[in-house]
Amino acid sequence: MTPEEAVARLDMILAHAWMVRTFLKHADEIQDDEGLLEVPRTVFDYCRAVEPARQRGDLKDYLHRIRGKLPKLRRVAERLAAEHKRVSDHTNFQMAAASLSGCVRQIEEVLAALPKPAAPPPSPPPDPGG
């Protein structure tokens, strides 16, 4: 998969995550639950973090940010999956949890399909005569 293909696919996945965020942001059931309110906030931060790089067409920075912030997104997806029943087991919450978990899995799959970034060249040894 090329970086261009990856970014196009990731943009689609982020659109799905954004819709989960929108549902949760407006869900009365979680408005007093700081732990679950962290979910829509984190999705917002994750999506917005890549936006400037996308607008500049900087695919390397976009992918760097997607990778770097993925652990936080994974953590809140796991939280939603584990805790949504505490506030509601309605189908909307079940589907939101499944959708966000699916987004995380798909992001991981896209990143895994990319060629590994090249390691930076080694630093030259210090000059002993210095």
Side-chain angles (χ1 to χ4, degrees):
M1 177 178 297
T2 68
E4 292 82 5
E5 292 168 332
V7 169
R9 179 75 181 118
L10 290 165
D11 279 345
M12 177 77 65
I13 296 165
L14 293 183
H16 288 280
W18 191 264
M19 295 311 297
V20 171
R21 172 219 168 252
T22 300
F23 163 69
L24 293 173
K25 178 183 174 198
H26 297 287
D28 291 336
E29 295 89 340
I30 71 165
Q31 295 310 306
D32 295 325
D33 189 315
E34 269 309 307
L36 287 179
L37 281 174
E38 184 184 6
V39 178
R41 291 175 186 148
T42 300
V43 173
F44 178 89
D45 291 345
Y46 189 78
C47 291
R48 294 301 299 264
V50 301
E51 193 173 320
R54 182 70 169 119
Q55 290 171 341
R56 289 190 314 271
D58 187 343
L59 304 183
K60 184 177 178 180
D61 187 40
Y62 180 104
L63 294 169
H64 174 77
R65 290 174 183 270
I66 281 276
R67 276 189 185 95
K69 295 193 174 283
L70 185 56
K72 286 184 180 182
L73 186 66
R74 184 182 306 110
R75 181 177 43 81
V76 297
E78 290 168 355
R79 172 177 283 166
L80 181 62
E83 296 184 19
H84 78 274
K85 290 180 184 177
R86 212 174 18 82
V87 295
S88 177
D89 196 27
H90 189 277
T91 303
N92 290 343
F93 283 90
Q94 293 173 16
M95 293 298 174
S99 184
L100 190 55
S101 294
C103 287
V104 170
R105 267 191 315 279
Q106 289 180 23
I107 292 167
E108 291 170 338
E109 290 168 3
V110 169
L111 294 176
L114 285 167
K116 300 292 181 225
S123 300
D127 183 7

